[in-house]
Every structure is written in structure tokens, then in C-alpha cells.
């Protein structure tokens, strides 16, 4: 394309954008500056007007051109919950990448909900970060459209549900991890193995329990549904549900906990009941948090590469923000888990 042709094409594209904005303003019954305020995430727009303009922007497929999208030096990191060592490993990974790129990280917590509120999306649009990373969270359709219209890429790490083929996501081989944990216990000679899962609304929890069941079925051992209890990934759930399992007259001789925090709660329940780990009860966790090496006895667990997952999510969101030719519009990456055998598992005591 010659220089004059390039200039003409740029002018035509700019005119088309201007015409679209003018049309949106006319249809919404507002001025063009009001549409601009909505695009820029300004707070001085009535909620009803903002909603009407946003709907029209989506209907017209308006997308802010990257050249216009002046970004702040930030990455937004959004957590389902922000209260454990698990979150610190994720923050460390994102910070590693952000620091090398000269960016800062903004943390948000959505108080146990799976989808952020509308005010959060407006705040992100106003901040114009390089991108958004959602951890065990997801966006609804309107939030996706809002970020897309502002050319703000987003990546989901450890998706709570199926993010869809059009959403970039980073996860781990949770099914394989559950399989490896349970197979280890089977190979030690355990035949009555319990499980404390995380919330079943979360895809990672379901995958780990499915791996547990697959290991039992492959070994031709019965899957007793009453030995599978549902927790919430917190220490208290491991303790409470651990007491429930271990007080049974036919208690399990081994338990696969859906994460390390629940495994530590199970330790506490076993101590309270006078049971020794691993002599009376074998325990396997999931995550391999630093504390897993420090407790007594050190915890056998499935290593989930949390820091590496967070780094991969941050690199991907920055590639999308740069519009790198090699960065796919959507991708699903799963990093490998691995079993780390320590001192909390042993052959069952002879009866």
C-alpha cells in the first residue's frame, strides 16, 4: 500500500468510528461526549444512561482501537477469596512477570462470589490496565463485552467452571493429580480410602474427585459414596469433615484431601481422636504449599505449580495486550501436577 493509500485508509477508518459513535449517541438520545465518558469509564454518567449506551456499544460491536487504548501500567488480579497461602503463591507468580515488564499489580477480592459485581467492571474500565487475571472466578456476558470494547484482555486462572472455548485460561491437570494421589494410597495397600473434596461447583474440585474415583475403579476397589464429603478448601472444613469420617466405626485408613489446608484440618481431627499419622491414618493433600514441608509429619501431597501457573497467566495476558501475532485469541493451557511423597503416608496397620 502506498503512503497516500495508507493515509486514506486511516482517515476512512477514523471516520467510520466517528460515525458509529455519533450513531450510538443519536440512538441513545445523548451527546457524543456522554458516549465518550462511558467509553472512558467516567463516573459522572447516570446508571440508566450508562446501561443504555453500553447496550448500544455491544449491539454495534464497537471496539476501542488499540492505538486509542492508552493503558495504565497495571495488571488487575481478581481473587474469588484472598485469605490463604495459596493466594500468596499466585500473587508471587503474577508479580514476577509484572515486575519484569515494569508494571504493578492491583488486587481485588470478590468475597466468595464467582463473578465480580458491576461496579468492579466499571472501575477496571476506568483504570485501563494492560489486562485482567481472574482466579477461580469468571465474567458474565456483559462484563466480557465491556472489557472487550475497551481492548482490555482477560485470562482465567484455575477456572471455577467451563470458561468456554473463546476465553483464554490456565489450569492444572487436576484429574491426573487426584488419580496419582489415590493410586499411591492403593499401592500402599489401602482399600478403604476417603476423600474430602473442595466445592463441587468448582471444576478443579470435581476433576480431583473424578481422578480419585478412577483410581479406585481401576484397582477394582468399591467406591463408597459415603466416604466422599464436600468441603470448601479451608482448614476448618478439613477438621470438621475429618472428625465425621474418623468417628465412623468403619473409618477409612487413608484420606485424600482436596487441598493442603483441608489436609491440615484432618491432621488436627486425627490428633483429637488419638490417631497417629501415618501409623493409624495416611493423608494426602493437594497444592504443595510451603507449609506442607514444615508440618509434622511432612505432608505427602500433589504439587500444583501455582507460581508457574500465575506466571503463565500473566505472560499470556500481556501477549494479548500487545496484540502479538503469535498470541492466540483463546487458548487452554494445563500445567502438569506431580505427586510429592513425604511422611504422612504408609501401609495400613495390620489388623
Amino acid at each position: 500500500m502506498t503512503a497516500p493509500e495508507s493515509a486514506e485508509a486511516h482517515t476512512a477508518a477514523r471516520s467510520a468510528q466517528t460515525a458509529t459513535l455519533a450513531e450510538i449517541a443519536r440512538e441513545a438520545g445523548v451527546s457524543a461526549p456522554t458516549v465518550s465518558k462511558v467509553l472512558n469509564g467516567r463516573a459522572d454518567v447516570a446508571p440508566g444512561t450508562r446501561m443504555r449506551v453500553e447496550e448500544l456499544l455491544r449491539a454495534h460491536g464497537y471496539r476501542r482501537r488499540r492505538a486509542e487504548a492508552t493503558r495504565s501500567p497495571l495488571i488487575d488480579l481478581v481473587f474469588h477469596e484472598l485469605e490463604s497461602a495459596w493466594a500468596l503463591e499466585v500473587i508471587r507468580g503474577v508479580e514476577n512477570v509484572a515486575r519484569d515488564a515494569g508494571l504493578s499489580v492491583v488486587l481485588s477480592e470478590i468475597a466468595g462470589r464467582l463473578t465480580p459485581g458491576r461496579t468492579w467492571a466499571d472501575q477496571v474500565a476506568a483504570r485501563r490496565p494492560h489486562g485482567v487475571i481472574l482466579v477461580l472466578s469468571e465474567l458474565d456476558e456483559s462484563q466480557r463485552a465491556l472489557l472487550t470494547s475497551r481492548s482490555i484482555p482477560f485470562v482465567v486462572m484455575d477456572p471455577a467452571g467451563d470458561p468456554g472455548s473463546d476465553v483464554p485460561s490456565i489450569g492444572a491437570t487436576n484429574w491426573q493429580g487426584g488419580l496419582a494421589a489415590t493410586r499411591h494410597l492403593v499401592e500402599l495397600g489401602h482399600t478403604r480410602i476417603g476423600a474430602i473434596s473442595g466445592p463441587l461447583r468448582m471444576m478443579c474440585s470435581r476433576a480431583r474427585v473424578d481422578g480419585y474415583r478412577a483410581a479406585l475403579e481401576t484397582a477394582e476397589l468399591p467406591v463408597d459414596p459415603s466416604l466422599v464429603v464436600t468441603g470448601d478448601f479451608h482448614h476448618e472444613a478439613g477438621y470438621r469433615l475429618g472428625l465425621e469420617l474418623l468417628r465412623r466405626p468403619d473409618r477409612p485408613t487413608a484420606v485424600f484431601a482436596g487441598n493442603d489446608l483441608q489436609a491440615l484440618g484432618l491432621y488436627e481431627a486425627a490428633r483429637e481422636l488419638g490417631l497417629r499419622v501415618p501409623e493409624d491414618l495416611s493423608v494426602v493433600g493437594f497444592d504443595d504449599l510451603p507449609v506442607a514441608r514444615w508440618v509434622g509429619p511432612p505432608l505427602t501431597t500433589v504439587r500444583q505449580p501455582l507460581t508457574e501457573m500465575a506466571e503463565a497467566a500473566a505472560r499470556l495476558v500481556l501477549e494479548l495486550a500487545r496484540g502479538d501475532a503469535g498470541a492466540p485469541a483463546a487458548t487452554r493451557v494445563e500445567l502438569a501436577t506431580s505427586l510429592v511423597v513425604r511422611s504422612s503416608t504408609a501401609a495400613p496397620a495390620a489388623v
Side-chain angles (χ1 to χ4, degrees), residues 225-273:
S226 69
L227 290 183
V228 181
V229 292
T230 303
D232 59 9
F233 284 150
H234 294 298
H235 175 277
E236 293 77 10
Y239 168 72
R240 173 176 51 82
L241 296 170
L243 288 176
E244 179 182 314
L245 288 173
L246 299 179
R247 280 174 172 159
R248 296 172 57 123
D250 56 348
R251 69 170 180 82
T253 61
V255 176
F256 166 46
N259 73 339
D260 289 349
L261 295 181
Q262 290 186 149
L264 297 182
L266 179 61
Y267 268 35
E268 184 178 347
R271 282 195 299 271
E272 186 170 310
L273 297 177

Side-chain angles (χ1 to χ4, degrees), residues 71-264:
R71 295 188 175 94
S72 57
L74 302 171
I75 295 176
D76 265 70
L77 178 57
V78 185
F79 282 92
H80 162 255
E81 290 179 329
L82 183 58
E83 57 177 42
S84 73
W86 189 95
L88 293 178
E89 296 299 303
V90 175
I91 293 170
R92 180 177 294 113
V94 175
E95 283 278 9
N96 288 343
V97 174
R99 182 172 55 250
D100 290 345
L103 304 176
S104 299
V105 178
V106 176
L107 296 180
S108 302
E109 189 216 36
I110 55 178
R113 299 190 308 271
L114 293 185
T115 304
R118 173 67 196 193
T119 56
W120 169 86
D122 288 335
Q123 291 165 1
V124 172
R127 278 196 295 271
R128 298 183 192 170
H130 275 63
V132 176
I133 300 171
L134 298 116
V135 183
L136 282 174
S137 308
E138 55 195 18
L139 299 177
D140 62 29
E141 186 177 342
S142 66
Q143 291 167 340
R144 291 185 189 187
L146 177 63
L147 296 187
T148 299
S149 71
R150 307 305 195 276
S151 291
I152 300 173
F154 55 91
V155 172
V156 179
M157 177 184 155
D158 212 0
D162 182 2
S165 60
D166 60 335
V167 176
S169 63
I170 306 292
T173 54
N174 290 291
W175 183 89
Q176 184 63 42
L179 179 78
T182 311
R183 181 175 287 166
H184 169 65
L185 295 171
V186 170
E187 289 173 348
L188 287 172
H190 295 275
T191 58
R192 190 158 178 78
I193 302 170
I196 303 175
S197 83
L200 293 184
R201 62 179 176 165
M202 293 185 178
M203 191 164 62
C204 61
S205 298
R206 299 180 70 92
R208 292 170 196 177
V209 173
D210 286 345
Y212 154 86
R213 290 195 181 100
L216 294 180
E217 291 168 355
T218 301
E220 298 183 345
L221 293 174
V223 178
D224 184 346
S226 69
L227 290 183
V228 181
V229 292
T230 303
D232 59 9
F233 284 150
H234 294 298
H235 175 277
E236 293 77 10
Y239 168 72
R240 173 176 51 82
L241 296 170
L243 288 176
E244 179 182 314
L245 288 173
L246 299 179
R247 280 174 172 159
R248 296 172 57 123
D250 56 348
R251 69 170 180 82
T253 61
V255 176
F256 166 46
N259 73 339
D260 289 349
L261 295 181
Q262 290 186 149
L264 297 182

Side-chain angles (χ1 to χ4, degrees), residues 278-317:
E279 292 86 354
D280 303 312
L281 176 72
S282 285
V283 179
V284 180
F286 202 108
D287 284 337
D288 195 25
L289 299 176
V291 69
R293 302 190 297 273
W294 306 333
V295 294
L299 178 65
T300 294
T301 187
V302 176
R303 182 175 186 272
Q304 180 175 209
L306 293 170
T307 301
E308 294 90 334
M309 289 164 63
E311 289 173 344
R315 284 194 295 268
L316 178 55
V317 85

